[in-house]
Structures are given as C-alpha cells and as structure tokens.
C-alpha cells in the first residue's frame, strides 16, 4: 500500500501563489510517477501535472503550462506543485496520485485525501 498526504491548500486572491505538497509513504517503489489532479464543483476530476521519479520528466495540462511547476524531493518521497498567477478557474480540490507515467485518471491506484484551493477574483 501507498499512503499520500497533501497539504498547502488555502484561499488566495487572483494572481497569487500557493505551493502544494504531497508526502508519500509505504511501498513507494511500486509506482513510477506522481501526479496532481483537480476537481471543481460539478465537474469531473482532471489531470493537472505529473512527474516521473526517474528521470524527472514532467507533463502539464495546457491551461496550467507556464503557471504551475511540479517538482520532487526523492529523499523525502515528496512532490510539490508550485502554482503561480492563480486564476478563479483554478479553484478546485487538488488530489495527489501515485501510479504509472500517465495522464488518465483511471491509471492511478493511490490517491490522497485532497486539499482545497480557492482563488477569489
């Protein structure tokens, strides 16, 4: 089993920044990537970004490119999502996930509990 714990969500004004963290524990060798997804009220959960543990390849959803940055600390088994220039449409619950190098929701078996990000206009 893999346990994922997110932190760092909150309320921020448009144009502001937040950094989310996701700490992994357990069978961390059993997956090759970690990703962030988000789910806004009334919408499906969608892919945001992912990073492969090796060699650190990253992928981003188009609407966050240039504003969000995903990074990792292998020694701490922690992944970060730096979110800059936040927009009201970024408001959602953000979920960390562990699995293969994939952008599809159903590829991931391990999920965190989610952290709320609210961007006010």
């Amino acid at each position: 089993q893999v346990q994922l714990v997110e932190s760092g969500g909150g309320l921020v004004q448009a144009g502001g920044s937040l950094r989310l963290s996701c700490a992994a524990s357990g069978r961390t060798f059993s997956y090759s990537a970690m990703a962030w997804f988000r789910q806004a009220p009334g919408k499906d959960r969608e892919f945001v970004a992912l990073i492969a543990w090796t060699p650190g390849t990253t992928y981003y959803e188009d609407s966050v490119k240039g504003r969000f940055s995903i990074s990792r600390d292998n020694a701490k088994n922690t992944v970060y999502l730096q979110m800059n220039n936040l927009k009201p449409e970024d408001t959602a619950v953000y979920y960390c996930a562990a699995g293969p190098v994939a952008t599809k929701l159903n590829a991931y078996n391990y999920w965190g509990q989610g952290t709320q990000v609210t961007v006010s206009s």
Side-chain angles (χ1 to χ4, degrees), residues 49-87:
L50 74 82
I51 186 165
W53 284 119
T54 304
T57 308
T58 59
Y59 299 91
Y60 296 93
E61 191 270 329
D62 285 346
S63 70
V64 306
K65 285 180 181 177
R67 300 189 298 123
F68 290 12
S69 177
I70 190 169
S71 62
R72 73 199 192 287
D73 184 329
N74 289 13
K76 296 181 179 180
N77 287 328
T78 299
V79 170
Y80 305 96
L81 185 68
Q82 177 67 44
M83 304 185 294
N84 298 326
N85 190 22
L86 282 160
K87 303 176 181 181

Side-chain angles (χ1 to χ4, degrees), residues 10-64:
L11 173 64
V12 65
Q13 289 187 333
S17 298
L18 283 173
R19 189 177 83 153
L20 306 182
S21 300
C22 176
S25 60
R27 296 171 60 89
T28 57
F29 56 84
S30 64
Y31 57 88
S32 53
M34 289 183 71
W36 290 95
F37 288 77
R38 65 186 179 186
Q39 187 166 18
K43 295 188 176 181
D44 293 334
R45 194 172 298 188
E46 64 175 5
F47 169 77
V48 176
L50 74 82
I51 186 165
W53 284 119
T54 304
T57 308
T58 59
Y59 299 91
Y60 296 93
E61 191 270 329
D62 285 346
S63 70
V64 306

Side-chain angles (χ1 to χ4, degrees), residues 93-116:
V93 177
Y94 284 70
Y95 295 91
C96 175
V101 181
T103 61
K104 293 190 175 183
L105 182 72
N106 58 13
Y108 289 84
N109 292 324
Y110 303 107
W111 293 88
Q113 80 286 357
T115 185
Q116 177 70 47

Side-chain angles (χ1 to χ4, degrees), residues 1-19:
Q1 288 289 342
V2 175
Q3 295 79 41
L4 303 174
V5 178
E6 301 107 330
S7 60
L11 173 64
V12 65
Q13 289 187 333
S17 298
L18 283 173
R19 189 177 83 153

